[in-house]
Amino acid sequence: MAYNLAPLQNLIDQFERMQGIGNKTAQRMAFYVLSLSEEEANNFAKAITDAHTKIKQCKICCDLAEDELCPVCKDKSRDRSVICVVEDPRDVVAIERTHEYNGMYHVLHGAISPMDNIGPDQIRIKELIARLGDGVCEEIIMATNPTVEGEATAMYISRLLKPMGITVSRLAYGVPVGADLEYADEVTLTRAIKGRSLI
């Protein structure tokens, strides 16, 4: 007889849908949830619901925010003449960990990928162009991942910005090709930011 409890299997399936979570890890996570007290389980569920309903996109940079503006866009001490363009909100967290960058961000929420039917209109490129109209930004740092899709996105945006007279630079290749920024350590990211080059 097969050992199969539908609610448990459903929980495992939900965890397995997460990026980077395999079946064994999903099982461990599901059994962890089952071991929680009722109060702990309710707190866990509430944390998921709160995150899903209360977190939205910053109206300026498209990063995650609780209010209209994210903490970086609210911070008056940040250098508004430099915008670091990243693919994902996790990349902002990774760069902020270095404590080396004091400029602004723009989160694309993806990269151009024709194979996945993701074109320039499916990511936040229009929002980036719109915020450059005030003439404050002098440099765009392209910090998309060093993948085929990340490179294509960086080149596409670079071509759009050239006529605007804005300097466009690219992170130096301290970040390994094929890696995601969120997994890079602080030293690697610091060197990449300091060693960026024009494209």
Side-chain angles (χ1 to χ4, degrees):
M1 181 173 122
Y3 182 77
N4 187 13
L5 302 172
L8 175 59
Q9 189 58 52
N10 184 38
L11 187 57
I12 292 169
D13 292 344
Q14 292 303 314
F15 281 126
E16 202 170 352
R17 292 176 63 189
M18 295 178 180
Q19 184 178 356
I21 302 295
N23 186 263
K24 292 283 187 193
T25 302
Q27 286 180 26
R28 281 193 294 274
M29 293 168 76
F31 280 105
Y32 167 76
V33 169
L34 288 178
S35 73
L36 297 174
S37 69
E38 188 170 344
E39 182 183 358
E40 291 170 329
N42 287 334
N43 289 339
F44 186 78
K46 185 178 182 318
I48 293 171
T49 304
D50 283 352
H52 196 69
T53 57
K54 294 180 180 177
I55 295 175
K56 51 193 164 208
Q57 287 185 20
C58 174
K59 71 175 189 175
I60 295 175
C61 72
C62 303
D63 194 10
L64 301 180
E66 284 185 80
D67 303 313
E68 283 195 346
L69 299 180
C70 70
V72 171
C73 288
K74 283 182 186 174
D75 187 347
K76 302 293 184 196
S77 70
R78 304 289 294 222
D79 182 359
R80 282 162 162 63
S81 69
V82 182
I83 297 175
C84 182
V85 177
V86 297
E87 291 180 26
D88 189 274
R90 292 172 292 191
D91 301 334
V92 173
V93 174
I95 292 172
E96 284 296 290
R97 277 196 320 256
T98 70
H99 304 289
E100 289 290 331
Y101 178 71
N102 192 43
M104 307 302 287
Y105 292 96
H106 189 82
V107 182
L108 296 172
H109 292 275
I112 296 170
S113 177
M115 296 291 286
D116 298 317
N117 293 318
I118 301 172
D121 292 337
Q122 278 75 50
I123 58 177
R124 307 298 188 280
I125 294 175
K126 285 183 208 161
E127 291 83 349
L128 173 63
I129 302 302
R131 68 186 283 204
L132 299 176
D134 60 9
V136 174
C137 181
E138 297 171 5
E139 180 185 5
I140 296 286
I141 302 171
M142 292 306 307
T144 53
N145 291 318
T147 60
V148 172
E149 295 81 8
E151 291 296 327
T153 304
M155 293 308 296
Y156 180 85
I157 293 172
S158 175
R159 285 193 203 107
L160 286 179
L161 299 180
K162 289 286 186 196
M164 300 175 79
I166 296 172
T167 301
V168 180
S169 60
R170 183 83 168 110
L171 283 186
Y173 284 101
V175 179
V177 173
D180 290 335
L181 289 178
E182 69 177 298
Y183 300 115
D185 63 284
E186 289 84 351
V187 174
T188 300
L189 278 172
T190 297
R191 288 179 181 164
I193 290 169
K194 287 185 174 179
R196 65 184 185 269
S197 59
L198 298 180
I199 55 175

